[in-house]
Amino acid sequence: MGGTMSDFTTKEKIQILNDIDVLGNVSKVAERWGVSRQSIYNWRSEREELDKQIVIEQQVQQVKDDSNFNPNVLKDLNQYRNTLQLIGTLEERKEKLSAKVEFMLIKITTLLENHEDLDKIHPKDLSKIMKDLHDVRKELSNEPAIIIEYKNKVREQTLQVLQDFLDVDQLREFAQRMESIEADYEIL
């Protein structure tokens, strides 16, 4: 096990101090754990602080256990972020895709204009083709559903954590600030 003072967790330090209480011999416990006696003496003098730290760590773990926080979502978000970095920002992707759609629109309209049997194509069919192309272009201006989904998951988990730590008035203040930030963002 051995190591330096910083290699031991708070829980292990407490366990070492408890072992001394049971065995009654600092040297044996130091040898058993592979730590210096000086470290043990230092921990003894910090015992009250270590006990407080353990309580805080247990409370944090309890909050994690009680909340619906799913660390895998962060991994998924990280993977998604990395993928997005490879293919560019949302605006860059939309710009590239829009350019491709515009190119296809020009090609299709040119093909339609030059079609030898253009008069034979029913106007409803032509209208449907143009409407479908316009719908694709229009959809590009909207935010992709996957981004909205991730934003909502992050918001839900953030609010869950905040509920565990803030009182009702602080939550209301936070919500109001977030609404004003989102309103400012939408104006931009």
Side-chain angles (χ1 to χ4, degrees):
M1 274 197 196
T4 64
M5 272 179 53
S6 61
D7 289 341
F8 292 94
T9 65
T10 306
K11 189 175 182 178
E12 289 172 328
K13 291 174 185 177
I14 295 290
Q15 181 61 46
I16 290 169
L17 295 175
N18 289 340
D19 283 358
I20 293 169
D21 294 341
V22 171
L23 295 175
N25 188 321
V26 173
S27 295
K28 286 183 180 179
V29 172
E31 186 178 322
R32 177 177 174 213
W33 284 87
V35 65
S36 71
R37 288 181 300 153
Q38 185 58 49
S39 294
I40 292 174
Y41 293 129
N42 291 342
W43 296 338
R44 268 188 168 167
S45 67
E46 301 168 356
R47 178 65 188 246
E48 191 174 310
E49 196 59 41
L50 290 173
D51 287 337
K52 287 179 185 176
Q53 184 63 34
I54 274 289
V55 169
I56 291 170
E57 288 175 11
Q58 289 171 343
Q59 288 172 338
V60 167
Q61 187 59 45
Q62 187 62 43
V63 166
K64 285 180 183 178
D65 294 343
D66 290 347
S67 72
N68 292 328
F69 179 74
N70 181 356
N72 291 329
V73 170
L74 293 180
K75 291 177 189 170
D76 293 343
L77 282 173
N78 194 32
Q79 180 182 5
Y80 181 66
R81 180 185 55 100
N82 292 339
T83 302
L84 292 181
Q85 285 176 340
L86 291 175
I87 58 175
T89 65
L90 175 62
E91 291 306 315
E92 290 170 339
R93 293 190 316 275
K94 284 169 53 173
E95 186 178 313
K96 289 175 188 173
L97 198 51
S98 293
K100 289 180 182 180
V101 169
E102 289 296 327
F103 176 75
M104 291 304 296
L105 280 170
I106 292 168
K107 292 273 280 180
I108 291 169
T109 53
T110 303
L111 284 171
L112 286 172
E113 286 174 353
N114 296 332
H115 193 278
E116 59 210 36
D117 294 328
L118 182 62
D119 294 337
K120 293 181 182 175
I121 299 175
H122 195 278
K124 284 186 179 180
D125 293 335
L126 281 173
S127 177
K128 179 161 178 20
I129 292 169
M130 295 310 291
K131 182 187 178 313
D132 289 345
L133 292 170
H134 177 70
D135 287 345
V136 169
R137 181 192 307 163
K138 189 173 142 187
E139 191 61 36
L140 287 174
S141 66
N142 295 331
E143 193 168 24
I146 188 76
I147 293 173
I148 294 169
E149 181 182 328
Y150 275 116
K151 279 183 181 178
N152 289 337
K153 279 185 183 180
V154 169
R155 283 182 185 148
E156 285 175 22
Q157 292 183 343
T158 301
L159 288 175
Q160 181 63 47
V161 170
L162 290 173
Q163 282 179 319
D164 293 336
F165 288 103
L166 302 177
D167 63 35
V168 174
D169 292 334
Q170 290 172 318
L171 279 173
R172 282 192 185 112
E173 181 182 345
F174 175 80
Q176 288 171 345
R177 285 185 182 178
M178 289 306 295
E179 286 173 1
S180 67
I181 289 170
E182 287 180 359
D184 290 345
Y185 177 74
E186 286 182 13
I187 290 171
L188 296 174

